[in-house]
Amino acid sequence: MSESTVAPVAPASTATTPATGRPASSYGAAPHDPSKPPVKRQIVCFSFYKVMPEWRRLPAEEREAHKKAFAAVLAKWNKPGEFLSLTYSTTGTRGDVDMCVWSIGYGVDELNEMRSELMSTPLAGYLTTPHNFLAMTKRSQYQIDRPDESESEGRGAIRPGGQKYIFIYPFWKTRPWYLLSMEERKRLMDEHIRVGLAYPRVKLNTTYSFGLDDQEFVVAFETNFPEDFLDLVQQLRETEASLYTLKDFPIFSCVRLSPEEMLNRLG
Amino acid sequence: MSESTVAPVAPASTATTPATGRPASSYGAAPHDPSKPPVKRQIVCFSFYKVMPEWRRLPAEEREAHKKAFAAVLAKWNKPGEFLSLTYSTTGTRGDVDMCVWSIGYGVDELNEMRSELMSTPLAGYLTTPHNFLAMTKRSQYQIDRPDESESEGRGAIRPGGQKYIFIYPFWKTRPWYLLSMEERKRLMDEHIRVGLAYPRVKLNTTYSFGLDDQEFVVAFETNFPEDFLDLVQQLRETEASLYTLKDFPIFSCVRLSPEEMLNRLG
Amino acid sequence: MSESTVAPVAPASTATTPATGRPASSYGAAPHDPSKPPVKRQIVCFSFYKVMPEWRRLPAEEREAHKKAFAAVLAKWNKPGEFLSLTYSTTGTRGDVDMCVWSIGYGVDELNEMRSELMSTPLAGYLTTPHNFLAMTKRSQYQIDRPDESESEGRGAIRPGGQKYIFIYPFWKTRPWYLLSMEERKRLMDEHIRVGLAYPRVKLNTTYSFGLDDQEFVVAFETNFPEDFLDLVQQLRETEASLYTLKDFPIFSCVRLSPEEMLNRLG
Amino acid sequence: MSESTVAPVAPASTATTPATGRPASSYGAAPHDPSKPPVKRQIVCFSFYKVMPEWRRLPAEEREAHKKAFAAVLAKWNKPGEFLSLTYSTTGTRGDVDMCVWSIGYGVDELNEMRSELMSTPLAGYLTTPHNFLAMTKRSQYQIDRPDESESEGRGAIRPGGQKYIFIYPFWKTRPWYLLSMEERKRLMDEHIRVGLAYPRVKLNTTYSFGLDDQEFVVAFETNFPEDFLDLVQQLRETEASLYTLKDFPIFSCVRLSPEEMLNRLG
Amino acid sequence: MSESTVAPVAPASTATTPATGRPASSYGAAPHDPSKPPVKRQIVCFSFYKVMPEWRRLPAEEREAHKKAFAAVLAKWNKPGEFLSLTYSTTGTRGDVDMCVWSIGYGVDELNEMRSELMSTPLAGYLTTPHNFLAMTKRSQYQIDRPDESESEGRGAIRPGGQKYIFIYPFWKTRPWYLLSMEERKRLMDEHIRVGLAYPRVKLNTTYSFGLDDQEFVVAFETNFPEDFLDLVQQLRETEASLYTLKDFPIFSCVRLSPEEMLNRLG
């Protein structure tokens, strides 16, 4: 498991040196230090959409036009360095949702405006949003510049969407966790991390939702090997830290596709 | 965190001198003293609306007319000193609701009548209300006079809506909390308050729902800095008082907009 | 708090002498004594209705006709001494329901028939019933005779609907409560009652649902002063008996209106 | 309470001699003995239907035709000795369902086919099934022969539907219950049974759902006296066995009616 | 109970020698060994569909065409050795779903594509998916070759669908289970297994969902004798391992039918 969560206490090179540079805890409540200089933090949103069955009764050409308009908004808001959206299909992996739009930007109002434009397309006349997770990074974590830009620009940042699958879920720790001493939490997370290191083909992204949404964290695991992720999660059940998990579902298995492909999987 | 909750035991100047004048507990059950003279208490209601997808299939001009009629009712009920409504968009931040109308007045029947008028507009033919929180202040807490009126009129009261974002959630404490001694509760809240004071850009409003609605409290945090609020909530997890939280969701991240802008974000 | 719950062990004059004649516990499981002569017990039902948004798209005259037909059934079933219905609006106080019909009669089949007639009106083509609470009194508790009849007819009974607001919720006690000794339960309820007596403007009605519906009790508090009820409920949290509450929601704040007014508040 | 649950250890005459022949526990997990000869066990299904409000907008003659076709399927499947259905109205007693079809037969596939025929009637174009409980008897428990047949045919079996009301709910015991010794369970159930014997006008039917449906048991109480059932359930709260109840709702109060009457109560 | 779960530690001949070759625990978290050579693991998906009542209002010929198109996709994706689907009716056994498609293949993207084709048929304009369970085997567990192929091809694999009924449910163990020593877990599972062996007519299939879906496991029991399965589950309640079950529902009783028969049972 390659860990790229960046808590304020982690050095900038965390993502490239996971074994030494990673934070003590991937889900821990790092002690807040308001005296630190502000960092440019990102707003992250995972929106899960479901098409109403009625949409599938429309003529094929009308559905095509709906898809085009929806994809056009996604394309318009693809602003290197400012706003990025990744698209996934959940057809067949979940019964309650059909697709996921994962957006990364720098402002809640900007996200509000972008989602409002998606909701102004004709497809939105047949869409519901059964799940929507709002979160922030602890600092700019994802590299959302153009792919052809210098690697050095994104040092320490993740380029999201590079794997075939993503597994997303909201996460809550129990309240007693937060009253453990920092040493005890570190001990528990060290065991947790040792398990993760055995699965280098799984990449973890952690974002924070305290006060912004129902959950405490949103975690997203990218991999080309679902079986690795299954085995990792099963093995993590045997760590002591697992006792401090309050809730870790719903879990969304998502297939990375272009906006057009994602929309075509709607039917 | 600037605390402006006004419990009966707090002096009138609470809002302007948070460090010394604030009540012992922001969520505590202040011992009731029915011998005290009655104060003019406010009725507070947070209504969260969702438009049905079908609405988005209507012709643009019809949707415009719907928005106008809805905004007209909001304008009609904007009665300085008597009834005030604030409007927020939740498009993109929540999947289950699209907008929030926060109303403050002096009577449940008045609120009932006002909401009935909103429900008589044509937009209401396409609206559901997935969440609605009814509450009261412990005394007149919000300043709802005209902005141009004397500051002295509103001494000790909050002028709501002055920040870009509001974070709203219902709140329940565990029953054992209420059986702690007042000294113990004060000790726990003092720690809670110390954390809050480190975030002066976050303004807390607490209202009371005991017996009026499912929750015990509705809390609303206004700020221009979502990251401050996230860090504050995360840090509060490490206080001992946090163990006495029974439930503190759903959490609504809301963008402050004029009624017209809010309605335009519907799509 | 004026207590008028009438358990089998209470004397007939309970309602008029609350301090001395009230039963030991308002929510307690009074030991059943099947050897006692049967009393005429009442069937009580609180039906909460929601109109579908589609109804609000109908022409005004059609909606008027719907309201008239619904009110006509309510009027037809207003049978002094046999069947009574009270009507309330919840527009603005709840998001999930719009109005409440509280009916009191003497038979489940009679209630079934009456509700069937309501469901045969055209308004029912646009109604759902998100909440419905069925209960019984322990004996004839409510006075449902004509208002002009002799007071002596209704001795010990409550004339419901005399206050501006009613607060209704289903209620469950924890199972350990029922295994406490009667003395211990009495001690706990005595404290509970002392708190209630400080709020004489709040009138409590308790009905029993064991085996008839999901909840154990349905409690309904009538008052003209919502703030009194809020303060009462908040203060009751500090009683020891409060620890034995399993669930006490959803809570419905309802505005007492005539059938016609209630229906007009639908929009 | 007349007990007619028939567990494998009970003699055939249980139903007629409740005090002596009843099994040790009405809800207990009787130790399975696979060496015993197979008995003819019955499949039992309680289907609760709700009509969509749209149905009530149809012309009266169309609704009449719908009712007729639905009743015809019920009549066709009334096969003495093979398959029996009983019909109940829940209009007014529940908000989520309108009617109940209780079927008793000998095969899951037969039930599947019968319900499929009900779903092929035009009324099914407006029906949902919010609750459906599948269960089995431990042996042939209900007498479903023609009423005019010899009593001796049905020895030890119950003729269901003979009372005006039925109260139905799914039931789960806590896991610790199942690890109590058989002696301890017997002691707890003896107390439970003593309470039940005080209510001879209430008849209990217990069926088993382990592995077939979400609940462990479905219990159905038939009586002409709802107040007896209410008092019985309230009094059972004070038994020690009550502490081992995990969940015992939703509870359905149902009025016994002919298929035609039940359908007429839909509106 | 014939156990055919194949965990990585089990020899290939597990299915044919359950008593000696079976893994220590059917639901246990077998310690992961990432050094082992990769095995060809299967993706398993149980999709439960519900037709909207509106579908039943369509002309019979239109519904026939819908069924044909749906069945054609199922037939097209019946690819021996690559992808297999089994079909079941739940009409009458569940209120929330009408049918189940159980698919077994080798890739999440393949499943996504197949389900997308099902959702492109006209029936999908009237379908919802209230439940959908995604899982994997620990290695190729099911034999999905042509029935006429050599038995030796499928050594150690299960040929699914050979029984009249299947009982499916998601399953979660409590977190403390995973911290028991392997010896203790083995002791508890040995008791569990002894009970299962008394029911040889029930065949258990276990699949793993850790991280892929909300549940930890999906278990599916195939049998021609529902009463055996009921008795087995009831008896398992008395094992100590049962205390470590966190959740084991919803439970789906399904009738094995050809695609055409399953679709005909929709009405």
Side-chain angles (χ1 to χ4, degrees), chain C residues 5 13 32 43 63 68 76 78 91 94 103 112 123 129 139 150 163 173 184 194 197 201-202 225 229 235 237 243 257:
Chain C
T5 304
S13 56
H32 173 82
I43 287 288
R63 279 181 284 137
K68 275 214 172 63
K76 173 191 163 189
N78 206 343
T91 300
R94 293 285 304 182
S103 294
N112 175 244
L123 181 60
T129 313
R139 63 180 193 98
S150 154
Q163 317 272 336
K173 294 195 86 70
E184 177 65 0
R194 271 194 304 276
L197 289 175
R201 302 188 300 189
V202 176
F225 305 92
F229 183 57
Q235 197 176 341
R237 282 291 192 284
L243 292 174
L257 293 172

Side-chain angles (χ1 to χ4, degrees), chain B residues 95-114:
Chain B
D96 50 355
V97 295
D98 290 320
M99 56 181 182
C100 173
V101 175
W102 175 19
S103 294
I104 304 161
Y106 290 97
V108 174
D109 46 353
E110 191 184 22
L111 172 74
N112 175 243
E113 203 180 331
M114 186 273 187

Side-chain angles (χ1 to χ4, degrees), chain A residues 38-51:
Chain A
V39 290
K40 202 179 176 189
R41 291 161 67 171
Q42 291 168 323
I43 287 288
V44 175
C45 182
F46 301 87
S47 297
F48 294 89
Y49 299 110
K50 180 86 185 161
V51 288

Side-chain angles (χ1 to χ4, degrees), chain A residues 29 32 41 45 109 112 116 119-120 125-126 129 132 138 175 178-179 185 208 210-214 216, chain B residues 53 56-57 89 91-92 94 164-165 199 229-231 234-235 237-238 242-243 248 250-251 253 265 267:
Chain A
H32 174 83
R41 291 161 67 171
C45 182
D109 46 353
N112 176 243
S116 167
M119 287 302 107
S120 300
Y126 299 87
T129 313
N132 191 79
K138 279 292 189 179
R175 293 291 163 102
Y178 295 105
L179 292 197
R185 280 190 255 175
Y208 302 77
F210 294 90
L212 307 189
D213 205 342
D214 300 358
E216 295 181 342
Chain B
R56 299 191 165 109
R57 302 177 204 163
S89 176
T91 301
R94 292 286 303 182
K164 197 169 177 181
Y165 302 109
Y199 298 86
F229 183 57
L230 186 156
D231 292 343
Q234 185 173 8
Q235 198 177 341
R237 281 292 192 285
E238 305 198 3
S242 178
L243 292 174
D248 54 3
I251 296 176
S253 289
R265 295 286 163 96

Side-chain angles (χ1 to χ4, degrees), chain A residues 80-143:
Chain A
E82 290 179 45
F83 198 94
L84 176 76
S85 294
L86 297 139
T87 48
Y88 298 86
S89 176
T90 57
T91 301
T93 63
R94 292 286 302 182
D96 51 354
V97 296
D98 290 321
M99 57 182 181
C100 173
V101 175
W102 175 19
S103 294
I104 304 161
Y106 291 97
V108 173
D109 46 353
E110 190 184 23
L111 171 74
N112 176 243
E113 203 180 333
M114 186 272 187
R115 288 296 194 267
S116 167
E117 291 192 23
L118 277 181
M119 287 302 107
S120 300
T121 66
L123 182 58
Y126 299 87
L127 279 189
T128 59
T129 313
H131 298 283
N132 191 79
F133 303 129
L134 182 67
M136 290 188 84
T137 58
K138 279 292 189 179
R139 62 179 195 100
S140 283
Q141 171 179 326
Y142 298 113
Q143 184 181 354

Side-chain angles (χ1 to χ4, degrees), chain E residues 65-79:
Chain E
H66 287 190
K67 294 175 186 177
K68 275 213 170 66
F70 195 87
V73 173
L74 288 170
K76 174 193 163 189
W77 277 85
N78 206 343
K79 304 174 178 182

